[in-house]
């Protein structure tokens, strides 16, 4: 890995001096990303590669207008050009966009991913041998026709500098360290092909080498292979109304789709109508709509350590806080950053987040948790477990809103949902999980 650009005082001074002092509000959001990819497929090491992606987004609010401009040219000239483009678009949109006041806060703070075992303390040869070992455990039967194991280590450093014409300034530094372990086994028998996976964006998180142990990466390969083979002879799911016990990885998806996306305020406001659709939720539902059982309590909490979408501040500089979205089954708060909150007049959260340096921030879910209750389990399908399930998820800021990541809580949970099996799931079930 290269020397950290975020520690360059010369670069920070250049970014600071580029920000104009004669506008209502200006920000420079610098992002430096580095990623290492290791993969073994069918016991063969695939080409290793490292990615680097660095750039800055300039944002200017002035005279009722808002302009963005991104650049990977971090020279004085490159930054000046980006500021000029952002100024231009702020002028073009003044009086022609949804009226939103410029931000007034200039936060100062830091965030660093909790790391117990630095990734680099695990030598490259050891990382490759671990993947080879997992690959051998996956290819245990002639019916397994494809299999693989991979590790991705991703470091993201971000610096947000703000300024305004009244002389106020802000500075937020955040350093994220992610690990994505992954396993896959595909079994085939005649015309029947089944794939079982582990990890990737389901079991991953912030941290160092300890993330592998956190989710049991070293013990999963044999189980994944056996389950792929079991699926070959598994009967089709019967049709009927019955109790369904949701495993943790499915529970994550259920929270993400049935609670996360519908509560994004930009969807509710119609911004996503032509891209990813709208939401069944309307502004009038907040404070009264019965989203689920009175046992259902869902929180937004980026402050939970080690999760994929944990952070100290969103990309508008709003400090992250734990907030209830659903309380005792009642919808109380949406997933919207400061801009969406002002436009809608509804309470929101610190979730204005960008996919990268060359995308502006939008409303994106992060660390949604079904909170634990005090129920006790009896029999599967008849009662619920007292545990926490978490969905940390992000979506791209491009034309198509695409889920990038999901991560479970440290304590995996199951949920019970009564629904008709063998038929299409309802778009928005009234009870997505039980605490």
């Amino acid at each position: 890995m290269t020397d950290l650009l975020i520690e360059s005082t010369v670069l920070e001074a250049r970014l600071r001096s580029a920000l104009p002092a004669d506008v209502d509000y200006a920000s420079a959001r610098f992002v430096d990303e580095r990623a290492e990819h290791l993969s073994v497929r069918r016991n063969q090491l695939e080409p290793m590669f490292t990615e680097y992606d660095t750039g800055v987004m300039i944002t200017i609010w002035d005279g009722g207008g808002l302009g963005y401009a991104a650049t990977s040219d971090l020279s004085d000239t490159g930054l000046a050009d980006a500021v000029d483009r952002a100024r231009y678009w702020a002028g073009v949109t003044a009086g022609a966009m949804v009226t939103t006041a410029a931000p007034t806060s200039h936060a100062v703070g830091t965030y660093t991913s909790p790391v117990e075992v630095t990734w680099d303390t695990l030598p490259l040869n050891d990382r490759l041998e671990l993947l080879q070992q997992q690959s051998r455990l996956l290819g245990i039967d002639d019916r397994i026709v494809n299999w693989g194991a991979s590790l991705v280590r991703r470091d993201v450093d971000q610096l947000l500098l703000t300024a305004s014409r009244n002389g106020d300034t802000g500075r937020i530094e955040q350093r994220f360290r992610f690990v994505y372990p992954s396993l896959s086994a595909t079994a085939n028998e005649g015309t029947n092909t089944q794939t079982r996976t582990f990890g990737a964006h389901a079991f991953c998180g912030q941290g160092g080498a300890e993330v592998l142990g956190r989710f049991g990466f070293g013990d999963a390969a044999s189980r994944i292979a056996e389950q792929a083979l079991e699926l070959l002879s598994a009967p089709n799911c019967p049709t009927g109304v019955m109790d369904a016990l949701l495993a943790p990885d499915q529970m994550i998806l259920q929270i993400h789709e049935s609670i996360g996306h519908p509560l994004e305020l930009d969807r509710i406001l119609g911004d996503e109508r032509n891209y990813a659709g709208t939401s069944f939720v309307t502004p009038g539902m907040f404070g009264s709509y019965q989203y689920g059982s009175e046992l259902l309590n869902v929180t937004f909490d980026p402050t939970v350590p080690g999760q994929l979408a944990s952070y100290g501040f969103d990309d508008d500089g709003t400090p992250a806080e734990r907030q209830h979205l659903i309380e005792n089954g009642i919808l109380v708060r949406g997933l919207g950053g400061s801009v969406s909150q002002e436009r809608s007049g509804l309470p929101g959260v610190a979730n204005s987040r960008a996919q990268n340096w060359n995308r502006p921030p939008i409303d994106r879910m992060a660390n949604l948790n079904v909170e634990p209750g005090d129920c006790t389990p009896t029999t599967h399908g008849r009662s619920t477990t007292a545990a926490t399930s978490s969905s940390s998820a992000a979506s791209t800021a491009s034309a198509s809103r695409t889920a990038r990541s999901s991560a479970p809580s440290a304590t995996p949970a199951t949920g019970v949902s009564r629904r008709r099996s063998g038929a299409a799931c309802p778009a928005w079930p009234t009870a997505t999980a039980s605490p």
Side-chain angles (χ1 to χ4, degrees):
M1 293 290 175
T2 186
D3 293 336
L4 300 182
L5 289 175
I6 198 169
E7 296 179 354
S8 170
T9 56
V10 173
L11 177 58
E12 181 171 343
R14 189 182 304 155
L15 292 168
R16 175 65 73 186
S17 63
L19 290 178
D22 58 347
V23 297
D24 295 337
Y25 190 91
S27 70
R29 179 171 50 84
F30 166 76
V31 180
D32 182 31
E33 180 173 338
R34 307 165 302 281
E36 174 192 78
H37 297 255
L38 305 176
S39 179
V40 172
R41 179 173 176 267
R42 295 173 58 90
N43 301 338
Q44 298 298 314
L45 177 64
E46 296 196 312
M48 300 178 291
F49 63 95
T50 302
E51 294 179 307
Y52 299 93
D53 192 9
T54 304
V56 63
M57 172 68 77
I58 301 294
T59 303
I60 290 181
W61 301 72
D62 197 38
L66 170 61
Y68 297 104
T71 182
S72 59
D73 184 351
L74 303 181
S75 67
D76 290 329
T77 301
L79 294 174
D81 288 344
V83 169
D84 288 344
R85 290 197 302 273
R87 276 184 182 273
Y88 168 77
W89 285 112
V92 169
T93 57
M97 60 176 281
V98 176
T99 303
T100 306
T104 57
S105 62
H106 296 269
V108 176
T110 61
Y111 169 87
T112 302
S113 295
V115 175
E116 297 175 17
V117 182
T118 304
W119 186 255
D120 290 330
T121 61
L122 187 64
L124 176 60
N125 285 341
D126 289 355
R127 301 198 290 272
L128 295 178
E129 176 53 34
L130 174 62
L131 292 178
Q132 291 283 6
Q133 179 187 66
Q134 300 308 302
S135 178
R136 290 190 292 270
L137 292 172
L138 289 166
I140 59 173
D141 191 287
D142 289 342
R143 290 172 294 173
I144 296 182
V145 294
N146 193 24
W147 65 94
S150 67
L151 291 174
V152 177
R153 172 262 193 100
R154 179 168 158 259
D155 295 351
V156 181
D157 296 330
Q158 183 169 305
L159 180 65
L160 178 66
L161 302 177
T162 62
S164 58
R165 61 163 42 96
N166 65 7
D168 291 342
T169 61
R171 183 187 187 278
I172 297 171
E173 177 182 312
Q174 302 193 91
R175 303 190 187 196
F176 304 97
R177 302 295 180 261
F178 304 97
V179 175
Y180 306 82
S182 180
L183 301 169
S184 175
T186 298
N188 171 264
E189 195 168 50
T191 60
N192 187 9
T193 301
Q194 301 288 342
T195 297
R196 189 71 174 160
T197 61
F198 171 94
H201 288 147
F203 295 118
C204 53
Q206 293 184 38
E210 75 276 2
V211 172
L212 303 179
R214 184 188 306 168
F215 298 115
F217 178 72
D219 302 323
S222 296
R223 182 177 72 253
I224 295 301
E226 291 167 358
Q227 291 174 350
L229 294 171
E230 289 175 7
L231 286 171
L232 291 176
S233 57
N236 290 329
C237 187
T239 298
V241 176
M242 61 196 70
D243 291 321
L245 184 67
L246 302 184
D249 48 357
Q250 178 61 36
M251 194 67 214
I252 295 163
L253 180 63
Q254 198 69 52
I255 298 169
H256 177 101
E257 299 294 349
S258 299
I259 298 176
H261 283 314
L263 299 191
E264 290 165 338
L265 288 184
D266 56 355
R267 282 179 182 255
I268 295 171
L269 290 168
D271 296 356
E272 295 285 297
R273 184 183 297 112
N274 294 334
Y275 301 139
T278 57
S279 171
F280 80 99
V281 175
T282 62
M285 291 182 176
F286 289 93
S288 60
Y289 182 71
Q290 188 77 36
Y291 211 97
S293 156
E294 69 277 3
L295 298 175
L296 182 63
N297 288 279
V298 178
T299 59
F300 164 91
D301 192 2
T303 68
V304 176
Q307 297 295 287
L308 198 61
S310 299
Y311 50 89
F313 302 82
D314 73 6
D315 289 336
D316 282 338
T318 305
E321 296 179 320
R322 180 179 183 272
Q323 301 279 4
H324 264 87
L325 306 178
I326 299 171
E327 194 163 11
N328 300 324
I330 301 297
L331 177 62
V332 295
R333 186 180 297 267
L335 288 168
S338 57
V339 172
S340 293
Q341 290 174 47
E342 182 181 345
R343 290 175 55 196
S344 65
L346 294 169
V349 297
N351 75 321
S352 184
R353 302 169 56 224
Q355 188 267 340
N356 208 330
W357 60 267
N358 54 5
R359 297 290 188 272
I362 59 173
D363 296 338
R364 300 167 67 203
M365 71 185 84
N367 289 4
L368 305 188
N369 305 283
V370 173
E371 293 294 329
D374 54 8
C375 299
T376 57
T378 54
T379 58
H380 284 178
R382 295 300 175 190
S383 184
T384 58
T385 55
T388 300
S389 184
S390 169
S391 171
S392 19
S395 306
T396 65
S398 59
S400 175
R401 182 189 289 267
T402 304
R404 298 186 64 210
S405 56
S406 300
S409 64
T411 306
T414 55
V416 177
S417 173
R418 180 178 290 275
R419 62 178 51 190
R420 181 171 296 278
S421 178
C425 295
W428 312 117
T430 56
T432 58
S434 299

